[in-house]
């Protein structure tokens, strides 16, 4: 029996100059879970505008549209400006308020949360109180594995919100810069920082991605590491999201952690080598990158 994975958060358009691509961190996670054969559903909100109707068409095309996609008659659909530096690292200009700032508690959402094996959520969609309260209510009503994707986009977060979400999570995923920011009391190496974070928030699993240097995971009182794969980076948009989808899919299916980590790094590297967050790949990706 397949696990039911509920992804809760933002859906938007990422605009690269004249080109725009459907995105949003948690939507990307749901997309990659679906691509890997997982039973993933996605909860968000779009505006009643042309951009929103286009996003709905994209979600339908990729089997991510359901009654969990709410509509907002007042707030617009989100369109983000993506800027790439000389190393193809992305920064984002994110407007507010937008439709996914106003996700409401509805019966379908509550029922989906109660039936889920895991709920994946990020920090960006929690920047406003309405969506944040909806998520916290959802987490209170479920026994699902709670997965927090720390996705810091200045100025769209507060430390108090990050601490609240981290305290609710069983699994926390962040990148190395985010780890350094959130664990600024430690002058030690990354493992020391992870241990400090674990003692404060009591997560079962902590994953820190390190870009081209792979990732490190603390799970069941053991550390696992992978050095990453070398690719020619096109842009980093969605690389971390594809990593998280692969990691959670493997974790829920009780695959060996080192194998899960290797595949997660491979998928993340592959996505970084392609334009946009959601390229197509297959099960042979690890061997190809090796």
């Amino acid at each position: 029996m397949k696990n039911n994975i509920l992804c809760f958060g933002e859906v938007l358009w990422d605009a690269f100059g004249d080109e725009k691509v459907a995105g949003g961190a948690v939507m990307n996670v749901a997309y990659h879970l679906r691509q890997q054969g997982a039973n993933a559903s996605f909860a968000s909100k779009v505006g009643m505008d042309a951009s929103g109707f286009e996003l709905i068409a994209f979600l339908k095309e990729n089997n991510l549209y359901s009654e969990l996609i709410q509509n907002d008659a007042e707030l617009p659909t989100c369109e983000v400006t993506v800027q790439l530096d000389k190393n193809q690292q992305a920064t984002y200009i994110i407007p507010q308020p937008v439709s996914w700032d106003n996700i409401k508690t509805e019966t379908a959402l509550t029922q989906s949360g109660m039936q889920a094996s895991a709920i994946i959520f990020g920090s960006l969609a929690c920047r406003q109180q309405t969506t944040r309260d909806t998520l916290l209510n959802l987490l209170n009503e479920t026994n699902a594995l709670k997965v927090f994707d720390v996705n810091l986009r200045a100025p769209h977060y507060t430390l108090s919100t990050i601490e609240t979400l981290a305290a609710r999570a069983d699994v926390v995923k962040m990148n190395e810069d985010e780890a350094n920011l959130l664990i600024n009391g430690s002058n030690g190496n990354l493992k020391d920082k992870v241990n400090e974070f674990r003692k404060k928030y009591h997560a079962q699993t902590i994953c820190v991605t390190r870009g081209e240097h792979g990732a490190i995971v603390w799970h069941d009182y053991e550390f696992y590491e992978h050095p990453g794969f070398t690719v020619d980076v096109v842009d980093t948009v969605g690389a971390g999201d594809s990593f998280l989808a692969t990691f959670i899919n493997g974790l829920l299916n009780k695959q060996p952690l080192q194998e899960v980590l290797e595949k997660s790094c491979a998928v993340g590297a592959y996505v970084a080598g392609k334009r946009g967050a959601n390229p197509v790949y297959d099960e042979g990706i690890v061997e190809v990158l090796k």
Side-chain angles (χ1 to χ4, degrees), residues 161-211:
T161 294
I162 301 304
E163 289 178 334
T164 296
L165 298 175
R168 298 291 188 96
D170 302 307
V171 180
V172 177
K173 175 258 179 188
M174 52 193 156
N175 64 34
E176 196 164 10
D177 289 339
E178 289 162 345
N180 290 333
L181 182 64
L182 295 178
I183 320 171
N184 56 15
S186 172
N187 294 317
N189 62 29
L190 187 55
K191 287 185 178 180
D192 293 334
K193 291 178 182 292
V194 169
N195 276 320
E196 187 171 330
F197 188 91
R198 175 180 63 82
K199 290 174 184 177
K200 183 174 183 180
Y201 296 107
H202 309 293
Q204 300 171 6
T205 305
I206 301 168
C207 180
V208 181
T209 57
R210 308 180 68 185

Side-chain angles (χ1 to χ4, degrees):
M1 185 174 179
K2 282 189 176 181
N3 296 296
N4 294 314
I5 306 171
L6 172 61
C7 301
F8 176 100
E10 67 275 10
V11 63
L12 48 86
W13 289 108
D14 281 322
F16 300 81
D18 294 333
E19 179 188 8
K20 68 177 187 179
V21 181
V26 183
M27 192 285 291
N28 293 336
V29 174
Y31 179 98
H32 285 282
L33 283 166
R34 279 280 185 177
Q35 186 169 187
Q36 294 176 24
N39 187 19
S41 55
F42 176 53
S44 189
K45 198 165 197 173
V46 299
M48 299 289 286
D49 49 28
S51 290
F53 298 142
E54 290 173 2
L55 276 179
I56 287 173
F58 170 85
L59 294 172
K60 287 180 176 179
E61 183 180 345
N62 291 282
N63 297 315
L64 289 172
Y65 183 77
S66 71
E67 59 186 340
L68 301 179
I69 304 298
Q70 302 174 13
N71 296 298
D72 199 301
E74 297 181 4
L75 294 175
T77 301
C78 183
E79 296 196 18
V80 171
T81 300
V82 183
Q83 299 174 327
L84 301 176
D85 65 15
K86 62 181 181 181
N87 296 317
Q88 305 307 306
Q89 298 292 314
T91 56
Y92 307 87
I93 301 174
I94 308 170
Q96 67 172 322
V98 293
S99 50
W100 47 257
D101 287 314
N102 193 38
I103 302 173
K104 301 287 186 66
T105 297
E106 294 182 350
T107 300
L109 179 58
T110 301
Q111 290 178 343
S112 182
M114 293 175 67
Q115 295 166 2
S117 307
I119 298 178
I120 300 175
F121 56 93
S123 48
L124 178 57
C126 294
R127 64 182 181 177
Q128 298 282 347
Q129 185 172 354
T130 299
T131 298
R132 183 168 65 248
D133 286 349
T134 297
L135 174 63
L136 294 176
N137 290 336
L138 183 68
L139 297 179
N140 285 339
E141 298 294 330
T142 182
N143 293 318
L145 185 76
K146 301 169 180 67
V147 182
F148 176 31
D149 180 14
V150 181
N151 194 19
L152 302 187
R153 299 282 182 256
H156 303 284
Y157 67 91
T158 63
L159 185 57
S160 62
T161 294
I162 301 304
E163 289 178 334
T164 296
L165 298 175
R168 298 291 188 96
D170 302 307
V171 180
V172 177
K173 175 258 179 188
M174 52 193 156
N175 64 34
E176 196 164 10
D177 289 339
E178 289 162 345
N180 290 333
L181 182 64
L182 295 178
I183 320 171
N184 56 15
S186 172
N187 294 317
N189 62 29
L190 187 55
K191 287 185 178 180
D192 293 334
K193 291 178 182 292
V194 169
N195 276 320
E196 187 171 330
F197 188 91
R198 175 180 63 82
K199 290 174 184 177
K200 183 174 183 180
Y201 296 107
H202 309 293
Q204 300 171 6
T205 305
I206 301 168
C207 180
V208 181
T209 57
R210 308 180 68 185
E212 64 185 19
H213 302 297
I216 183 171
V217 173
W218 180 90
H219 176 74
D220 280 351
Y221 297 94
E222 285 189 54
F223 277 102
Y224 300 82
E225 296 182 65
H226 192 278
F229 295 90
T230 301
V231 295
D232 293 326
V233 175
V234 174
D235 69 59
T236 58
V237 179
D241 307 327
S242 64
F243 176 100
L244 179 60
T246 309
F247 186 81
I248 295 303
N249 197 25
L251 189 68
L252 289 174
N253 288 319
K254 302 186 186 307
Q255 296 169 356
L257 227 292
Q258 192 63 45
E259 292 179 14
V260 172
L261 181 56
E262 180 181 52
K263 184 176 180 181
S264 301
C265 288
V267 173
Y270 181 83
V271 171
K274 302 294 180 181
R275 171 67 69 193
N278 298 311
V280 175
Y281 50 84
D282 60 32
E283 284 296 312
I285 188 170
V286 176
E287 293 305 319
V288 168
L289 286 175
K290 279 183 178 178

